[in-house]
Amino acid sequence: MEALKTIFLALFLVLASALYSANAKIQEHEFVIQATPVKRLCSTHSTITVNGQFPGPTLEVNNGDTLVVKVTNKARYNVTIHWHGIRQMRTGWADGPEFVTQCPIRPGESYTYRFTIQGQEGTLWWHAHSSWLRATVYGALIIHPREGEAYPFAKPKRETPILLGEWWDANPIDVLRQATQTGAAPNISDAYTINGQPGDLYKCSSQGTTVVPIDSGETNLLRVINAALNQPLFFSVANHKLTVVGADASYLKPFTTSVIMLGPGQTTDVLIQGDQPPSRYYMAARAYQSAQNAPFDNTTTTAILNYKSAPCPAKGISIKPLMPSLPAYNDTNTVTAFSKSFRSPRKVEVPAEIDDDLFFTIGLGLNNCPPNFSPNQCQGPNGTRFTASMNNVSFVLPNNVSILQAHHLGVQGVFTTDFPTQPPLKFDYTGNVSRSLWQPIPGTKVTKLKFGSRVQIVLQDTSIVTPENHPIHLHGYDFYIVAEGFGNFDPKKDTSKFNLVDPPMRNTVAVPVNGWAVIRFVADNPGAWIMHCHLDVHIGWGLATVLLVDNGVGLLQSIEAPPEDLPLC
């Protein structure tokens, strides 16, 4: 009898799996990376785009679908594409960060990314992960529930991706090159954008302002993505409340707010009701700036929420939409209250026992001017060059093979596995830091993790050069944010504050300025996964490391073989 039960159960599982697979689709797309004339702020630039579009195409899939995207590089720069937030279970070759999981796609070459979306729903995005091409090479990646399944909230009447971006009235690659040559911080952007448009408050921009339709009584799901290169942003809509229902393709216990904050890389799904008098209302975004005395773009981008039943203004009369009130640029209290509202919808399985307990300090640094450099190459503070690090190691990317390839093929000399699991020196992280700690050690050091290891990482901001809110993104994983706070993390005192019941799941955590965040996850995805600050200026300076997760037992716990068209270095 027991044997029969076992056979029936096996048959049922096979049938269920077949039905589930029958609904899943394979979606094929072609991305052509190319230079396209784009006019913004009165000037036309030869801008790197995908398929001539800025922002690039929105991809819409269902949970369970497979994406096959052939990327052909017709630009003059090397390029890769990262599918930000996709778990990439066993398909690390498709993750995209250059020299971590692949060599870049050279001009004239192509590479096909293939991966299946498993158990994720909500808003993600894709972007270039090579130099500063991400400034213009990005787009939304929307994951709907499986066919026949519903959102855990009432279905909205319409859905609108809201991509917040950052625009330079220059070639972003030249901006980066100049900073690399001088050792100084790169020039700040000239505008922020919503769906590629700066909006009414900038010169030569009102014609293109993004308009988002809504009607009285209807609900609109805004899928907000911070695709800005270097700036956390506040976002608000005049006279309208925002009900937060998801972030980073994970659902949340809904809560209502008048303003949201997203670090670069983060996404937030909000419901907005058409419950105001029919009119036109500004949606607006501007900087959250936590680094004291650091220059930043203090402009404001706008789009218009337009009620379809709003009366048309008389001919020749233009009525300015109502402007939302946005927090002060340095309003950390609003950011803290917002991030502390995040909860998973129900009790979740957070690792309670920990196998790998890691403590990573994050922060900037200043390198002394090398003896063979001219003063022009050392234009950072007091004749230095800017740098950044985790645990006093400034990450250096390889340049002739990717870390994943070197690991898979056993190539020696590309990286070492001695990334410190704790700061090499304990100090008052958020106090006055000795100048001897301002100059980190460069290296390509990774942390090895066993398959299935239960991992906790404390991410501790430091006041080296300046404290700052750092959006830290981990590739290949979602993680639970079990706690965050200010000052130096104290395991004796702060562990009691951990939420191990319903913490939010994210792929990018905004580590509080002069504070800390604690994340937990199970290392169940083999591969080489970069963990880095999503302020691109910081990743270039070395604020990154790589977690190298070994294969487990058998095929289903091992990374797939590399694809035949994987780019050569």
Side-chain angles (χ1 to χ4, degrees), residues 189-255:
S189 55
D190 297 288
Y192 300 111
T193 56
I194 296 178
N195 292 352
Q197 294 292 343
D200 292 1
L201 308 184
Y202 298 90
K203 58 185 181 179
C204 308
S205 299
S206 29
Q207 292 301 99
T209 301
T210 297
V211 177
V212 176
I214 197 166
D215 222 345
S216 294
E218 77 179 26
T219 306
N220 194 343
L221 174 62
L222 304 180
R223 299 176 174 276
V224 189
I225 298 164
N226 186 352
L229 211 64
N230 294 318
Q231 193 62 57
L233 294 166
F234 289 116
F235 174 83
S236 188
V237 183
N239 279 24
H240 289 73
K241 292 284 190 206
L242 305 172
T243 300
V244 178
V245 292
D248 293 2
S250 290
Y251 293 119
L252 294 167
K253 201 168 279 174
F255 68 94

Side-chain angles (χ1 to χ4, degrees), residues 13 21 34 50 60 79 175 177 193 224 257 334 378 392 467-468 481 518 556:
L13 289 173
S21 305
Q34 60 192 52
V50 172
E60 296 199 48
V79 74
V175 174
R177 278 183 182 156
T193 56
V224 189
T257 177
T334 291
C378 299
N392 206 42
E468 190 167 359
I481 304 173
V518 181
L556 294 180

Side-chain angles (χ1 to χ4, degrees), residues 83-375:
W83 315 93
H84 185 112
I86 295 287
R87 285 290 321 265
Q88 298 291 1
M89 297 302 291
R90 302 180 54 236
T91 50
W93 305 106
D95 189 44
E98 72 171 351
F99 296 117
V100 178
T101 59
Q102 66 168 98
C103 296
I105 307 166
R106 306 285 181 191
E109 302 291 321
S110 62
Y111 175 48
T112 301
Y113 294 90
R114 295 177 176 82
F115 53 91
T116 299
I117 291 137
Q118 300 178 44
Q120 295 184 280
E121 290 177 20
T123 306
L124 295 176
W125 62 303
W126 56 265
H127 60 79
H129 212 299
S130 182
S131 184
W132 267 22
L133 289 181
R134 177 166 87 72
T136 55
V137 177
Y138 62 84
L141 174 49
I142 294 166
I143 309 168
H144 297 287
R146 298 185 201 284
E147 280 185 20
E149 293 186 10
Y151 295 131
F153 45 83
K155 187 170 166 57
K157 177 74 188 293
R158 62 180 81 232
E159 303 181 13
T160 311
I162 302 285
L163 290 126
L164 308 177
E166 204 169 0
W167 180 264
W168 277 260
D169 204 4
N171 178 351
I173 304 294
D174 291 344
V175 174
L176 175 62
R177 278 183 182 156
Q178 182 190 8
T180 306
Q181 282 163 2
T182 63
N187 291 341
I188 58 171
S189 55
D190 297 288
Y192 300 111
T193 56
I194 296 178
N195 292 352
Q197 294 292 343
D200 292 1
L201 308 184
Y202 298 90
K203 58 185 181 179
C204 308
S205 299
S206 29
Q207 292 301 99
T209 301
T210 297
V211 177
V212 176
I214 197 166
D215 222 345
S216 294
E218 77 179 26
T219 306
N220 194 343
L221 174 62
L222 304 180
R223 299 176 174 276
V224 189
I225 298 164
N226 186 352
L229 211 64
N230 294 318
Q231 193 62 57
L233 294 166
F234 289 116
F235 174 83
S236 188
V237 183
N239 279 24
H240 289 73
K241 292 284 190 206
L242 305 172
T243 300
V244 178
V245 292
D248 293 2
S250 290
Y251 293 119
L252 294 167
K253 201 168 279 174
F255 68 94
T256 301
T257 177
S258 57
V259 64
I260 63 176
M261 193 288 285
L262 304 93
Q266 292 186 317
T267 74
T268 307
D269 289 348
V270 298
L271 296 172
I272 186 169
Q273 307 291 341
D275 57 6
Q276 293 300 303
S279 186
R280 301 161 87 232
Y281 298 87
Y282 271 135
M283 301 175 155
R286 78 174 187 193
Y288 164 49
Q289 177 64 2
S290 60
Q292 288 184 340
N293 305 323
F296 69 99
D297 179 348
N298 63 1
T299 61
T300 303
T301 178
T302 55
I304 296 168
L305 183 72
N306 186 52
Y307 278 73
K308 292 198 292 186
S309 51
C312 291
K315 202 167 180 196
I317 297 174
S318 111
I319 301 167
K320 271 276 184 205
L322 202 63
M323 191 72 181
S325 102
L326 285 156
Y329 297 114
N330 62 351
D331 188 347
T332 293
N333 288 343
T334 291
V335 172
T336 306
F338 175 64
S339 68
K340 287 197 166 167
S341 303
F342 280 53
R343 292 276 185 280
S344 281
R346 59 194 65 82
K347 190 177 187 310
V348 291
E349 284 189 35
V350 188
E353 304 293 315
I354 297 300
D355 303 307
D356 285 286
D357 194 356
L358 311 174
F359 189 113
F360 292 172
T361 55
I362 54 180
L364 304 185
L366 297 172
N367 280 334
N368 296 333
C369 195
N372 56 332
F373 277 41
S374 73

Side-chain angles (χ1 to χ4, degrees), residues 102 108 153 299 328 384-385 425 433 498 510 530:
Q102 66 168 98
F153 45 83
T299 61
T384 59
R385 291 177 61 83
L425 194 70
V433 182
F498 285 10
I530 190 167

Side-chain angles (χ1 to χ4, degrees), residues 230-569:
N230 294 318
Q231 193 62 57
L233 294 166
F234 289 116
F235 174 83
S236 188
V237 183
N239 279 24
H240 289 73
K241 292 284 190 206
L242 305 172
T243 300
V244 178
V245 292
D248 293 2
S250 290
Y251 293 119
L252 294 167
K253 201 168 279 174
F255 68 94
T256 301
T257 177
S258 57
V259 64
I260 63 176
M261 193 288 285
L262 304 93
Q266 292 186 317
T267 74
T268 307
D269 289 348
V270 298
L271 296 172
I272 186 169
Q273 307 291 341
D275 57 6
Q276 293 300 303
S279 186
R280 301 161 87 232
Y281 298 87
Y282 271 135
M283 301 175 155
R286 78 174 187 193
Y288 164 49
Q289 177 64 2
S290 60
Q292 288 184 340
N293 305 323
F296 69 99
D297 179 348
N298 63 1
T299 61
T300 303
T301 178
T302 55
I304 296 168
L305 183 72
N306 186 52
Y307 278 73
K308 292 198 292 186
S309 51
C312 291
K315 202 167 180 196
I317 297 174
S318 111
I319 301 167
K320 271 276 184 205
L322 202 63
M323 191 72 181
S325 102
L326 285 156
Y329 297 114
N330 62 351
D331 188 347
T332 293
N333 288 343
T334 291
V335 172
T336 306
F338 175 64
S339 68
K340 287 197 166 167
S341 303
F342 280 53
R343 292 276 185 280
S344 281
R346 59 194 65 82
K347 190 177 187 310
V348 291
E349 284 189 35
V350 188
E353 304 293 315
I354 297 300
D355 303 307
D356 285 286
D357 194 356
L358 311 174
F359 189 113
F360 292 172
T361 55
I362 54 180
L364 304 185
L366 297 172
N367 280 334
N368 296 333
C369 195
N372 56 332
F373 277 41
S374 73
N376 286 344
Q377 295 170 284
C378 299
Q379 293 182 34
N382 303 319
T384 59
R385 291 177 61 83
F386 270 109
T387 182
S389 68
M390 296 177 86
N391 277 358
N392 206 42
V393 177
S394 187
F395 191 75
V396 179
L397 284 169
N399 57 16
N400 57 2
V401 64
S402 77
I403 289 171
L404 185 57
Q405 284 169 294
H407 172 61
H408 190 75
L409 300 170
V411 180
Q412 299 300 305
V414 177
F415 60 85
T416 57
T417 56
D418 56 346
F419 184 84
T421 58
Q422 306 284 320
L425 194 70
K426 288 193 164 57
F427 57 96
D428 180 4
Y429 307 117
T430 53
N432 286 329
V433 182
S434 157
R435 287 293 175 114
S436 63
L437 289 163
W438 285 38
Q439 188 157 337
I441 297 151
T444 311
K445 295 174 184 286
V446 311
T447 301
K448 278 198 91 167
L449 297 171
K450 283 201 174 89
F451 184 92
S453 173
R454 295 162 297 184
V455 183
Q456 172 174 293
I457 305 179
V458 177
L459 294 160
Q460 172 73 60
D461 187 30
T462 64
S463 53
I464 298 174
V465 184
T466 179
E468 190 167 359
N469 182 295
H470 294 274
I472 301 294
H473 172 46
L474 173 59
H475 289 223
Y477 285 90
D478 288 324
F479 48 73
Y480 290 112
I481 304 173
V482 298
E484 52 183 58
F486 292 99
N488 298 333
F489 176 74
D490 179 349
K492 289 193 188 78
K493 195 177 69 190
D494 294 323
T495 307
S496 62
K497 300 175 192 165
F498 285 10
N499 174 6
L500 302 180
V501 178
D502 60 353
M505 185 185 263
R506 305 287 311 249
N507 62 53
T508 304
V509 55
V511 177
V513 54
N514 246 335
W516 50 267
V518 181
I519 66 170
R520 288 188 177 186
F521 61 96
V522 176
D524 59 358
N525 191 13
W529 307 109
I530 190 167
M531 183 179 206
H532 65 90
C533 182
H534 221 279
L535 307 176
D536 268 31
V537 56
H538 291 177
I539 186 178
W541 287 343
L543 214 172
T545 186
V546 164
L547 304 182
L548 196 61
V549 180
D550 282 331
N551 285 334
V553 178
L555 200 62
L556 294 180
Q557 293 185 359
S558 303
I559 192 164
E560 292 179 359
E564 286 180 12
D565 63 339
L566 192 71
L568 301 170
C569 279

